[in-house]
Amino acid sequence: MPGRTKKDAAVTEDATMEDVPVSAQVEDALDEEMPENGAAEEEEDEEKEEEEEEEEEVEAQRVKILPGSTDTAASFEFIEEGHTMGNALRYIIMKNPDVEFCAYTIPHPSEDKMNVRIQTYEGTAIDALKKGLDDLQQVCDVVADEFIAKRDQFNADNGIDR
């Protein structure tokens, strides 16, 4: 049977607060510092609301260039986008004669991300992406205008007020 080791007396000393990780430290609040009648909860709620308002004002970056990209060949990651945007954007970008290759992928179905790879003959991949996004916006505007015009015509022909 292996021998048991005895605890060293020096090891049993308490650790100082500086030695303990921050996550293990407990914040002690004096009674005088604590607001009365639930005011602490109200202050916390107000702070959370202010933080949420600040977060709403700053829109998160939804597109980033992935590592390993060059001027003529780059991969981009779109946050909160899927097949709808990916397929339409790929189609529009491939219409550009300066683009050699464009494809998109959804890395994993449970992640709300879409990756687009662009390779160009001339110009930069970033310029091709910008042009593709602008062209897609123009196509969407034309479709929306045409839809509204046809809807209004249908409503007028059928006596529907809207």
Side-chain angles (χ1 to χ4, degrees):
M1 181 166 164
R4 294 187 179 169
T5 58
K6 294 182 181 179
K7 292 184 180 179
D8 188 17
V11 176
T12 60
E13 293 179 15
D14 289 337
T16 62
M17 287 301 286
E18 292 81 26
D19 296 336
V20 178
V22 177
S23 60
Q25 296 179 9
V26 178
E27 294 183 21
D28 292 327
L30 299 174
D31 289 332
E32 295 121 20
E33 293 177 359
M34 294 297 293
E36 295 180 16
N37 299 331
E41 292 177 9
E42 292 175 10
E43 288 179 8
E44 289 177 9
D45 290 341
E46 290 175 7
E47 289 176 6
K48 288 180 183 177
E49 288 176 8
E50 289 175 6
E51 289 175 7
E52 289 174 2
E53 288 176 5
E54 290 176 6
E55 289 175 7
E56 290 175 5
E57 292 174 5
V58 178
E59 188 173 323
Q61 183 178 359
R62 294 184 55 196
V63 180
K64 66 179 180 180
I65 300 175
L66 296 176
S69 299
T70 64
D71 287 343
T72 59
S75 294
F76 304 91
E77 181 180 68
F78 288 74
I79 307 297
E80 296 180 5
E81 294 297 341
H83 290 287
T84 304
M85 173 77 160
N87 195 31
L89 186 59
R90 180 203 58 81
Y91 177 79
I92 295 294
I93 291 174
M94 281 303 296
K95 293 288 187 179
N96 184 344
D98 293 334
V99 174
E100 176 182 7
F101 173 83
C102 181
Y104 82 97
T105 184
I106 306 295
H108 194 277
S110 67
E111 293 181 7
D112 204 14
K113 296 178 182 178
M114 174 194 63
N115 295 340
V116 175
R117 174 78 176 171
I118 302 172
Q119 292 175 220
T120 61
Y121 294 115
E122 294 181 16
T124 66
I126 294 173
D127 291 339
L129 177 64
K130 287 179 183 178
K131 182 177 182 339
L133 290 169
D134 289 339
D135 292 348
L136 183 59
Q137 179 66 49
Q138 291 174 0
V139 168
C140 290
D141 290 344
V142 168
V143 170
D145 292 343
E146 191 67 23
F147 173 79
I148 291 169
K150 295 295 182 182
R151 184 197 60 194
D152 292 344
Q153 181 182 357
F154 176 83
N155 289 345
D157 292 345
N158 294 311
I160 299 172
D161 293 331
R162 272 221 144 204

